[in-house]
Amino acid sequence: MEHIELTLLGLLLAVVGLTALARLWNVPYPILLVIGGSLLGFVPGLPSVELDPDLVLLVFLPPLLFNAAYFASPRDMKLLWRPITLNAIGLVLLTACAVAWVAHTLVDDLSWAAAFTLGAICAPTDPLAATAIARRLGVPARLVSVIEGESLVNDGSALVIYRVAVAAAVGGSFDLLDAGWEFVANVAGGIAIGALVGFALLPLFRRALADPLISVTLSLAAGYLGYIPAEELGVSGVLGAVTVGLVLCWHAPTITDPLSRLTGYAFWDVLVFLLNALLFVLVGFQLHEVVTHQERSLALLLGLGAAVSAAVIATRLLWGNTTPYIIRALDRRPKQRLLRVGWRERMVIGWSGMRGAVSLAAALALPLDFPERDLLLFLTLTVIFATLVVQGLTLPWLIRTLGIEDDGSPAREELHARRAATEAAISRLEELREEEWTRDSTVRLMRKNYDVRQRRLAQVAGERSFEQDGEDLGEHTDARARLTKELIDAERAIVVALRNEGTISDEVMHRLERELDLQELGIAAYRREPSVAPDGAA
């Protein structure tokens, strides 16, 4: 690659600029990245970027999948296993078939194997933009959990189909029965290897408990440790990485300490953002060559892209508005009736089926000699553009129009947890009152703080009134947090001044600055208490 220094600089500046625009316009950053990335390739003078297909999946997928699994909710996935499984397997297969049929019908000489490869590429969803919009607009937590859980599992099922289809397209043979058995073996093998690796890593994380650098580095390696052995054994590395993430997610509270968690959250936020952003921008750098190498006209390419995108969107909407009625006819248990949602909620889930980083990585990973590789890459980007940009920008309107509102469950759960934690702390404080090493003045001060917090939470729950306490304890909490923030700012200013005048070293300044930063983060977390009406509605 020529001028690699300028290319890297251009990539980073493009990511910064597009993300800043996304923040300014209050839209999820993937939407601006796919628009800007698509346009970048047509800027005159930009160098061409050629990626090694063998490295694309290896570099991008394991950390993205591990991160998604690590921050998933096993509880919600267990509760909502039916819609998640149906969407992640049944809908993926149907989408792959629908896209394959459209592509094979409309594109001359496109083999069924290549068409199914495109279908598998377009099948997995990306929840990043959809969940950001849904949470901002107060969509019920259950719907968000379905969108996230589906995306986590359908990456594995779609990429298993992808592997089978690519092998058939390159090797020239395909047997449906063999493909079916291979699918089952890939899924079972990937999950088994991921579980083994996950449980094997638990003792290592416990030994690294006191060192955040080792802990975070080990978390980065974990996704690859699940992915690479599975791929080498010929099973699903995607499900291997996902399963490792789920195992470590469940045990995370006991294998990490506070400093490791804070360091890890910051590291993974930046890493996942950069990986997603670079994927979109890198495709933009190649888009110009993809279009110019095509013998088809731009109008024909856009028509093919529109047809494939329509197949992806229509299949999801059709599935979401037919399958539930079949399930209801077969399973009429009262327990299942409580889990049902109406057509409005299903429309939101259907319209949230956006495509993103996994589809891009799969398209870029196609062998350079793959039949119609440039066309498949163009169609993938078209589908991502149609689902991410068109559906992403209209999803807020759809949510408001359908009247989808927050059911208050996350706020109620958070309030319940805060009250239980406060009561546990007060109970422990009373137990420690008689210990020799405690001091009465310290115990009284801490008990007073917890009493205020307990009464504040009772006000939030509607169990105490402002008149009973003599004031709105929410305002009391805000005033206390603001005062503490002012004091921390004063401490920070004098520490920086001492460094500037040479009284203390930069090392000492950074050590004190870090302590003050952690205190300030604690204040911000303390102020973020749930707002729940007496009847439990947010």
Side-chain angles (χ1 to χ4, degrees), residues 271-317:
L271 179 65
V272 170
F273 164 72
L274 286 176
L275 289 176
N276 276 292
L278 289 175
L279 268 175
F280 286 115
V281 178
L282 282 171
V283 170
F285 270 67
Q286 298 183 89
L287 183 61
H288 182 263
E289 288 191 14
V290 168
V291 174
T292 54
H293 289 168
Q294 282 290 309
E295 297 178 357
R296 301 173 180 88
S297 67
L298 182 59
L300 178 57
L301 289 174
L302 293 176
L304 292 172
V308 173
S309 301
V312 170
I313 296 170
T315 301
R316 185 176 180 86
L317 293 176

Side-chain angles (χ1 to χ4, degrees), residues 139-148 341 345-346 348-349 404:
V139 168
R142 181 185 171 193
L143 301 188
V144 178
S145 296
V146 171
I147 295 169
E148 287 183 325
V341 297
E345 288 80 3
R346 293 200 301 273
V348 170
I349 293 176
I404 304 297

Side-chain angles (χ1 to χ4, degrees), residues 63-82:
L64 289 175
L65 295 168
F66 174 82
N67 176 76
Y70 188 84
F71 291 100
S73 171
R75 184 203 68 170
D76 290 345
M77 293 184 68
K78 181 180 179 181
L79 178 65
L80 301 168
W81 70 270
R82 176 178 287 176

